[in-house]
Structure formats: C-alpha cells, structure tokens
Amino acid sequence: MSLSHLYRDGEGHDVDDDDERESFEITDWDLQNEFNPNRQRHRQTKEEATYGVWAERDSDEERPSFGGKRARDYSAPVSFISAGLKKGAAEEAELEDSEDEEKPVKQDDFPKDFGPKKLKTGGNFKPSQRSFAGGAKSFVDFGSWERHTKGIGQKLLQKMGYVPGRGLGKNAQGIINPIEAKQRKGKGAVGAYGSERTPQSLQDFPVVDSEDEAEEEFQKELSQWRKDPSGSKKKPKYSYKTVEELKARGRVSKKLSVPQKELSQVKVIDMTGREQKVYYSYSQMSHKHSVPDDGLPTATTQQGAAGKETRAPGFALPELEHNLQLLIDLTEQEILQSDRRLQYERDLVVNLSHELDKVAEVLAREERAIANLGGVLELVGECERRLQPHCGDPLTLDECARVFETLRDKYYEEYRAADRGDLAVAVVYPLVKEHFKDWDPLRDCTFGTDVISRWKGLLSHGGQDLASDAFHRLIWEVWMPLVRNIGAQWQPRNCEPMVDFLDSWAHIIPAWVLDNILDQLVFPKLQKEVENWNPLTDTVPIHSWIHPWLPLMRARLEPLYSPIRNKLASALQKWHPSDASAKLILQPWKDVFSPGSWEAFMVKNIVPKLGMCLGELVINPHQQHMDAFYWAVAWEGMVSTSSLVGLLDKHFFPKWLQVLCSWLSNSPNYEEVTKWYLGWKSMFSDQVLAHPSVKDKFNEALDIMNRAVSSNVGAYMQPGARENIAYLTHTERRKDFQYEAMQERREAENMAQRGIGVAASSVPMSFKDLIEAKAEEHNIVFMPVIGKRHEGKQLYTFGRIAIYIDRGVVFVQGEKTWVPTSLQSLIDMAK
C-alpha cells in the first residue's frame, strides 16, 4: 500500500509522483477572485510573455495555468499527515454503510420523468421578477472599475437605453447579480441530490412546475429503490371487482363470446405448430393459446454479494391458475347475462305498461264511437220512420236540415266518415224534389237559393266529382233536370231572364255544372241564332243579345265573332260614309273583337270608303263644303290614328297645300290666309296634330307662307304681313313644342307609376339621362362632340343631328338658327 498520499509539499499541495494533472474543480479561490472586481491584476512579465504557460511563477496569489507542471521544491522537508487511530470492526461497518449511501447513483436508476424543468425566460417576466430582491452583496457601485478605463462600455449601454441598477434586455429581464454557485453534497451526478437551484435562480427563472411537488415526487421515486430497513416482506395487495363495475363494463369477454352461427360449424386445420391440429370452430382455435405451457417457469435471478444464484418458484401451478381464471371469466359472463336479462325484463314491463295504456285509450275511444253510432242510428231511424207514406207526422225539408245539422255538430267524426251520399239519396232527395216541384226558373230566378245554400254546407266536403260529393249529386240529379226543361222555352233574343237566372245561381252550383249549362244549353242556341241573323233586315242589334253573355261565357263566344264579322262586312259593301248607322252598329264591337281582328276589319271595310269620301272633297277658301270632311273625321275613334293620318296624307294634304300655294301667288289678304290656316288646323284633334306627318304638313304650310311674304315678287306688299306670318310661325311651333313636352312628361309620369319593380338606377335623373335612355332604346348613337360648344352649352350628336340641351329643352340645328324640338320629333328625325 502506497503512502504517497500522506506527503505534502511545501505549499500544502498533495504530492503525486505518478500523475501530475491539474484539477478543474471550482475552488473558493476562483469564486473570491471572480466576485472581486477590485482585485489586483497580475501584470505579465517578460518571461511569461515569452514562455506562456511554461513560464515559472513565484506568486501564490495567481491561479496555476492549465496544462503546466507544478514546480517542486525537493529541498523542502517532508511533511507527514496524521492517519488517525485504528477503529474497531463495528465502527468500520458503520463507515462502509455511510460510504454506500454516498455512492453515486446510476442514471438508469432515476425515474424517466426526472429531468430539467422548463424555465420562464424572455418577455414573460413579471415586473417583480426583473430585479433581484436579495443577494449576497449590494452592487450600488457596480461598474465602478471603469474609472480606471475610458468608460466606453457604460456609455454605449446607456445610449442603447440601459438604466443602471436594472437588467439588460427589452423588458429588463437580464440578471443584475453574478451567477451564484451551489456546492453539491456528495460526489453523485447532476441532480442526484435533488434540485441544485439557488434562491436567486428560482426568483429570476421560475419553473413552470411547482418545485416542492417535483422534490416530493423525486424523493418518492428515489425511496422505491432503497431497501426496507425493517427487512419484512410486503403484504400482497388484492384487487376486488364489484358487480357494479362489471356491469359498467357492459360486455362479455371476447374469449368467451359465442361464435356466430355461420362460423360455428367451420372445420379449421391448424398447421402452424409441430403437429397438425383440427378444430371444429373458430372459437376452439381462438382458445388454443389460452392453454398453459408445460415447460417450467423461468427462474428469477438475484444478485448478491457472493454472486448469482438461480432459484425455482416455491408455488407454480399454471393449470390451476388457468382454471381459476376461466371460472372467474365464466362467472363474469353469467353476471353480465343475468343483468341483461333483468334489464330486458324491466324494459318489457315498461313497454307492456305503455301498450296497456294505449289499449285502454283505444278501448275508451271505441266505446265512445259505439255510443255515438247508436245516437246516429237513432236519428236516422227516426227520419226513415217519418218518411213513410202513411206517417201521421211527415218529415219536412227544414226539419231534415236540422237533423243533419245535429249530426254534423254533435257527431262530427261519424258524420264526416259516413257515406252521406246514400243517406242524402234516401232522405234529402225526395224532399228537395217536392220543394222544387212547381218552380219556373225564368220567372222566379232566386227561388230556393237559400235552401240549396244551406244544404251545400251540410252535404259538400270539397270534392269535385259526382261520385264523392253528395251535394254535387243532389244538384245533378234533382236541380239540373228542372233547368233542362226550360231550355226549349228560352229564346236567345230575350236573354235577360236566362242571364239573371244563371247569375243568381253561379255562386251556389258547382263550376262544372255551370259550364255544362253554358256549353250544352246556351251556346248552341246562340250559335243557331247568329246564323239566322241578317244585319240588313233585323231591327234588333246583335250586340244587345250577345254582349250580356260576356261576363259568363267570355272566351266561349269567340267562335261566334267570325260569322258576325263576315255578315257585317257583307252589309258594308254598299255602305256610304254619310250613313251614320254603321258606326252605331260597329262601335259596341270595338272592345269585344281582338285589336288585330278589329284593325283588319276597319282597313278592309271602312278605310277605303273614307278615302273615297276625302277624294271627293273640294277645297275652296271662298266657299267651302265640309260634309265629306266631317264624315271622314267622325271615324277617328273607330279607325286607328295611323290609318286616319295615312288617309289625310294621301287624299287631303296634297290638295290643301296646292290650294294654299295658288292662293298666296295671287296677292292674297294674309289675315284671311292666317284665319284659313288656323281654321283648318282646329278641325283636327290633338292626337292627330301630334302625329309627325300631320305636324310636318302644317309646318310646310308655314314655310310656304314665310317664303311668300319674304320674296320680292309683286309690286305691292300688305303692311305688317311679314311680321304677322313670322309671329304665327313662332307661336304655332311653340305650341307644338309645349304640347309635345307636356305629353312626354305625362308619359314619363305614367312610366314611373307603372314601373313598380324597376330598379331606381334605371329611372332617368335628368333630361340628358332621358335622352340617353331613348337613344339606347331606339339604337341611336348619342355622344358629346369634343371641343364643340354653343353659347357655352355642350354639343351632342344624336344620330346625324347636332343638338344641345338648355334648361330641359333640346335644340336642333336648323338652316340658319337653333330650333327647339320635342324628344319624339328628335327620334323621328334621327331615324
């Protein structure tokens, strides 16, 4: 045994001849030297600068360098260290036990969840955690060592926002005091003796988990590896499973589950082992691994001071354990199945109780239905008894209605479900026939309406066919034969009684019955009478006995209109416009015929006659006969405006303008010409004057008059004629413009009132928007002329016409000046 450890050198260090290695442990000298900012700095000598770590040092104050050999003084005397006294065996045993406790614990012996905690760093610091509450030393003069330097570090930190006395970082989360060291108790690894955190680190960097809980958990885990000082064996712990826990699991073990019927008879050959085995179901195959092994159990290995030793278990019966486990599983299965049977029986009891309640309700309902049916049969039997021929108290229609009302109000379900048709046929129909026995519909059209209305509410249930609705059957079998009897007596030319009769009964009888009357009884007689009608000989107008049927028949009369038009056209072949009776005959049919057929009839039969009449008109300013003109203009409401304007443009205005030109060429009296012009213009209605063709003809007449007064032809000119004609022209055109503007405003208002569903963005907000909308409607180009203005107003092109807008009035460029015009005239000119 070497005694080298008993020697020390002169400096108090241990002397080891074999290995001269430097210790890297942190000593008290290192801590004192680190925490002393004002320590004396060692000035490097020339020899140290040359040889580095191999240079010799004489001072004991400096720490030895790394890797260098320590100089020894072999001339110093040997110093011995006392080894103490020899201890006894008991004391040595106690010492060995204490040394065993101080042995370092292996890393594998620690629990898995024992490890470093996650620290809270960064910006999550609370305000109270940004500075130290305690410390070993106050650092008021921290950084005072910079007084020996230029102090550039402190200045740079202050420029970047550093406040003395607080930590670094955006949230001042840096530490202020230097890091404290904590000496470990023994020689174990890191964490072998619990947490090594200092109070300062816990305050600056608190852990997420509670330190006390972690320490308690660590001690608990660590104590599991220690031996029980008492040396006694632990008692076995038994786990008990209650019936409620077993029920809560709610299922049978998979190993004991009953196989499906299809798989219970399947033969399975198992060749996975050394020998071939045959199973007769999959359940047997699933149990093959449940059989305990025949081999010996594995011996346990224990490690002691003397070595390793293999021991056999003292009590090992795998077959018995398997059987016990099987009995336990079977018992659990029986408990679960019994619980299921009990739950099934309870559910069955609840279900049967509900069914019993339902059956009781059905029984009570059936008893009520039987009682109600007994009451119904009693009432019906009473009605049948009173309907017998020799009964002293016969049943009347009013009493029968009261019986049915009692059935409807008191026994509604039975009344609704019963076949009312058979009951009505047996009881009601004979009474209704007796009531209407002497009724004449054409004389008293309202007789029996209240009675039938009352029975409609009692017998009708909303059906539309004859078989399902008792009221429809009553009308068809009892009421309809009485109406058919008057079909032979009714005359179509005397239509008022029949029309009044159907109007009175239209809201009572079914719709299909009314249609049958109109189609089978009324229309054939009207058709036959129209065929016999002659417009030249009959004194009664046809519309007097056809038009009263329009509210009832409407489109059913369409087949009669074509023969009527043909007969009227034949009668108008020799007609002259001077005969006003034709207008009286045709005027009622204007709104009856469709617009297309009416216009075609007028163009074919009336317009040629009117054109012939206007062709015979002689225009004479001195002696004018207006009869032919009046005959033609009288048809303005009957003939369309376009057809009438076409007649005037073809047969009237050419002759009229020719007479005006010849009159102006003979030095006329312009006052008489003006009166003559205004007189003819007053003969036309505003609707005709608003037509562009008529307006152009009158404007042409004004231009002829202006040219006549502006020319120098003639030796003598009437004084003031030119001014009068110019004033007349301006006045007439202004009137036309005002009338057209008023018409357009009315049309715009009507369109605004009618356009309920039109979006607000489509309604023109200004006159320009209205012109733009009209141009888009008629596919006309409307756009501004760039760089062109008139009197400060923007010029536009409307088609090929130049226009400008001033205060809601559109002006069109004429030959010499800008002329106001209407929007419709603008559209006509652009087209």
Side-chain angles (χ1 to χ4, degrees):
M1 181 175 180
S2 176
L3 300 178
S4 60
H5 64 282
L6 301 178
Y7 293 91
R8 290 180 178 268
D9 56 7
E11 299 177 359
H13 298 286
D14 296 338
V15 178
D16 191 358
D17 296 336
D18 298 334
D19 189 6
E20 295 182 355
R21 290 178 296 180
E22 183 176 1
S23 176
F24 285 89
E25 293 183 356
I26 299 175
T27 63
D28 295 338
W29 183 90
D30 294 328
L31 296 176
Q32 294 176 1
N33 191 35
E34 182 65 27
F35 293 154
N36 185 13
N38 299 324
R39 70 183 182 277
Q40 183 179 0
R41 296 284 182 174
H42 172 70
R43 188 176 298 277
Q44 192 176 24
T45 62
K46 183 177 180 181
E47 186 178 0
E48 290 175 350
T50 303
Y51 295 103
V53 297
W54 287 275
E56 294 182 357
R57 294 180 178 84
D58 296 334
S59 176
D60 295 336
E61 299 292 332
E62 299 295 332
R63 177 179 175 146
S65 61
F66 298 113
K69 294 184 179 180
R70 184 183 298 111
R72 298 183 179 181
D73 188 4
Y74 295 100
S75 61
V78 178
S79 60
F80 291 90
I81 299 175
S82 176
L85 299 176
K86 180 68 175 180
K87 298 181 180 180
E91 295 180 357
E92 290 182 358
E94 293 179 1
L95 182 61
E96 289 179 1
D97 293 340
S98 62
E99 289 179 358
D100 291 341
E101 293 180 358
E102 293 182 359
K103 287 182 179 180
V105 185
K106 295 182 180 180
Q107 184 68 22
D108 297 339
D109 297 340
F110 291 104
K112 294 182 179 180
D113 57 349
F114 181 80
K117 304 294 188 299
K118 184 178 179 182
L119 301 179
K120 291 184 178 178
T121 59
N124 295 330
F125 274 80
K126 299 180 181 178
S128 61
Q129 299 172 355
R130 296 180 182 177
S131 62
F132 287 104
K137 183 179 180 181
S138 177
F139 290 90
V140 178
D141 57 346
F142 179 75
S144 60
W145 53 270
E146 285 195 347
R147 64 176 176 268
H148 303 291
T149 64
K150 295 182 179 180
I152 188 65
Q154 185 79 2
K155 294 179 182 179
L156 290 176
L157 289 175
Q158 290 179 356
K159 286 182 179 180
M160 289 183 286
Y162 170 72
V163 179
R166 300 182 61 184
L168 296 178
K170 180 179 179 181
N171 299 318
Q173 68 268 24
I175 63 176
I176 300 177
N177 296 334
I179 302 176
E180 296 180 358
K182 183 177 180 181
Q183 187 176 5
R184 196 174 301 128
K185 297 179 181 179
K187 298 181 180 180
V190 177
Y193 303 101
S195 175
E196 298 183 3
R197 302 287 301 277
T198 62
Q200 174 187 343
S201 64
L202 290 176
Q203 183 177 359
D204 292 338
F205 306 100
V207 296
V208 178
D209 299 334
S210 176
E211 190 67 26
D212 297 337
E213 295 180 0
E215 182 67 22
E216 183 180 355
E217 183 180 358
F218 170 73
Q219 294 296 338
K220 181 179 179 181
E221 295 291 339
L222 189 61
S223 63
Q224 294 179 359
W225 297 93
R226 296 179 180 176
K227 296 180 180 180
D228 190 1
S230 62
S232 60
K233 295 183 179 180
K234 295 183 179 180
K235 295 182 180 180
K237 296 182 179 180
Y238 298 97
S239 60
Y240 299 95
K241 187 183 297 182
T242 63
V243 177
E244 298 299 332
E245 294 177 355
L246 185 61
K247 291 180 181 179
R249 191 177 63 178
R251 62 182 181 87
V252 185
S253 178
K254 293 183 179 179
K255 296 180 179 180
L256 302 175
S257 60
V258 181
Q260 298 181 3
K261 185 176 180 180
E262 294 80 0
L263 301 178
S264 59
Q265 304 298 330
V266 177
K267 182 179 180 181
V268 181
I269 301 175
D270 184 9
M271 302 182 68
T272 57
R274 291 177 295 179
E275 297 179 357
Q276 176 179 340
K277 298 180 180 180
V278 179
Y279 302 100
Y280 294 96
S281 65
Y282 280 107
S283 60
Q284 293 182 2
M285 183 178 180
S286 62
H287 292 164
K288 71 172 185 176
H289 296 292
S290 299
V291 180
D293 298 333
D294 296 335
L296 294 174
T298 304
T300 58
T301 304
Q302 297 180 353
Q303 184 177 359
K308 297 182 179 179
E309 178 180 341
T310 303
R311 296 180 181 179
F315 185 81
L317 294 176
E319 292 83 356
L320 180 59
E321 293 178 0
H322 171 73
N323 293 336
L324 291 175
Q325 186 64 37
L326 186 61
L327 291 175
I328 292 172
D329 294 341
L330 289 174
T331 305
E332 290 180 356
Q333 182 182 10
E334 290 179 359
I335 293 173
L336 292 176
Q337 290 179 353
S338 300
D339 179 66
R340 288 172 183 167
R341 284 195 298 270
L342 178 60
Q343 187 64 33
Y344 172 76
E345 296 296 337
R346 289 176 179 174
D347 295 341
L348 183 61
V349 170
V350 174
N351 190 15
L352 291 177
S353 63
H354 289 312
E355 290 185 1
L356 181 61
D357 296 339
K358 291 182 180 179
V359 170
E361 292 179 1
V362 172
L363 181 60
R365 188 168 55 250
E366 294 294 336
E367 290 178 353
R368 290 194 301 269
I370 292 173
N372 293 337
L373 287 176
V376 171
L377 291 176
E378 184 178 355
L379 290 175
V380 173
E382 181 66 20
C383 291
E384 291 180 350
R385 185 186 64 79
R386 297 180 62 182
L387 285 176
Q388 297 300 324
H390 304 289
C391 181
D393 186 15
L395 184 65
T396 62
L397 186 61
D398 188 39
E399 293 175 349
C400 184
R402 285 197 294 269
V403 170
F404 272 78
E405 289 174 354
T406 303
L407 292 175
R408 182 191 62 185
D409 299 337
K410 190 174 181 180
Y411 309 104
Y412 178 75
E413 295 293 336
E414 291 76 11
Y415 180 77
R416 186 182 62 177
D419 190 0
R420 284 169 279 179
D422 296 339
L423 184 61
V425 169
V427 179
V428 182
Y429 289 7
L431 299 176
V432 174
K433 289 181 181 180
E434 183 67 23
H435 183 74
F436 288 97
K437 180 175 60 175
D438 300 330
W439 175 49
D440 187 0
L442 297 180
R443 293 181 181 178
D444 189 3
C445 60
T446 59
F447 176 79
T449 54
D450 54 346
V451 175
I452 298 300
S453 299
R454 186 178 182 183
W455 281 106
K456 181 179 181 181
L458 293 173
L459 299 179
S460 180
H461 58 80
Q464 296 297 328
D465 55 340
L466 185 62
S468 61
D469 198 295
F471 176 73
H472 290 201
R473 187 174 177 183
L474 171 66
I475 294 297
W476 183 256
E477 296 181 0
V478 179
W479 184 84
M480 193 64 184
L482 301 175
V483 178
R484 291 195 187 97
N485 293 333
I486 65 172
Q489 305 173 7
W490 170 64
Q491 295 297 327
R493 292 178 183 256
N494 186 16
C495 62
E496 286 79 6
M498 193 66 175
V499 172
D500 294 341
F501 163 71
L502 293 179
D503 285 337
S504 301
W505 286 87
H507 64 284
I508 300 175
I509 61 177
W512 64 272
V513 175
L514 180 62
D515 294 341
N516 182 268
I517 294 173
L518 296 176
D519 294 338
Q520 303 297 329
L521 299 179
V522 177
F523 183 76
K525 302 204 80 172
L526 291 177
Q527 188 177 19
K528 184 177 180 180
E529 194 66 24
V530 168
E531 293 176 357
N532 298 330
W533 172 67
N534 187 357
L536 298 177
T537 58
D538 288 340
T539 57
V540 179
I542 188 173
H543 65 269
S544 62
W545 49 273
I546 292 293
H547 288 183
W549 292 103
L550 288 174
L552 290 172
M553 303 188 70
R554 297 180 182 178
R556 289 186 176 88
L557 296 176
E558 285 289 343
L560 301 179
Y561 296 157
S562 180
I564 292 174
R565 285 195 295 267
N566 294 333
K567 289 180 178 291
L568 292 174
S570 301
L572 291 174
Q573 290 181 358
K574 298 180 180 181
W575 170 76
H576 190 268
S578 59
D579 186 4
S581 62
K583 183 180 178 181
L584 296 176
I585 295 175
L586 295 177
Q587 190 172 7
W589 294 96
K590 183 178 184 300
D591 297 330
V592 176
F593 294 156
S594 62
S597 60
W598 175 259
E599 183 65 20
F601 181 81
M602 289 289 106
V603 171
K604 182 178 179 182
N605 300 287
I606 301 300
V607 173
K609 303 286 184 178
L610 299 180
M612 181 185 63
C613 182
L614 287 176
E616 296 174 355
L617 176 64
V618 177
I619 299 176
N620 186 2
H622 302 288
Q623 188 178 1
Q624 183 67 53
H625 296 282
M626 301 294 295
D627 295 337
F629 182 79
Y630 290 149
W631 296 338
V633 175
W635 285 87
E636 181 180 351
M638 305 288 291
V639 180
S640 63
T641 304
S642 60
S643 300
L644 184 59
V645 171
L647 288 175
L648 295 174
D649 194 14
K650 183 178 180 181
H651 299 286
F652 173 74
F653 281 110
K655 296 187 294 182
W656 186 74
L657 293 174
Q658 185 179 2
V659 170
L660 177 61
C661 291
S662 61
W663 191 9
L664 292 175
S665 62
N666 294 324
S667 300
N669 186 351
Y670 285 96
E671 293 182 1
E672 294 180 358
V673 173
T674 302
K675 292 180 181 179
W676 182 78
Y677 170 83
L678 295 175
W680 275 109
K681 191 173 183 180
S682 63
M683 296 292 179
F684 299 96
S685 64
D686 294 340
Q687 187 175 3
V688 175
L689 290 175
H691 197 275
S693 298
V694 178
K695 192 184 301 182
D696 292 341
K697 295 299 180 181
F698 281 104
N699 289 333
E700 184 179 355
L702 289 175
D703 294 338
I704 293 173
M705 295 166 66
N706 285 321
R707 285 196 301 269
V709 298
S710 300
S711 62
N712 295 326
V713 179
Y716 174 76
M717 176 61 64
Q718 182 179 352
R722 182 179 302 175
E723 290 78 5
N724 292 335
I725 297 300
Y727 177 75
L728 176 64
T729 303
H730 179 72
T731 303
E732 292 298 316
R733 290 182 176 176
R734 183 165 185 158
K735 287 181 180 179
D736 295 341
F737 170 73
Q738 291 177 352
Y739 176 79
E740 292 175 359
M742 182 177 64
Q743 291 295 113
E744 290 176 359
R745 280 196 297 271
R746 289 178 180 175
E747 292 179 0
E749 291 176 359
N750 294 334
M751 291 176 60
Q753 293 176 359
R754 290 194 302 266
I756 297 177
V758 182
S761 59
S762 63
V763 179
M765 302 301 295
S766 62
F767 190 63
K768 177 186 173 183
D769 296 337
L770 179 61
I771 295 176
E772 186 176 357
K774 289 291 184 182
E776 184 178 357
E777 181 181 350
H778 293 279
N779 198 16
I780 299 174
V781 178
F782 174 69
M783 60 183 297
V785 181
I786 301 176
K788 296 291 184 178
R789 290 182 176 272
H790 177 74
E791 297 180 355
K793 305 296 188 303
Q794 176 66 47
L795 295 181
Y796 300 90
T797 57
F798 193 86
R800 296 183 179 180
I801 304 172
I803 64 171
Y804 77 89
I805 304 171
D806 185 11
R807 289 176 291 183
V809 180
V810 59
F811 290 84
V812 182
Q813 186 177 16
E815 295 179 357
K816 297 181 180 180
T817 183
W818 292 84
V819 182
T821 184
S822 64
L823 185 57
Q824 185 61 40
S825 301
L826 180 64
I827 295 173
D828 294 337
M829 287 187 290
K831 288 184 177 180

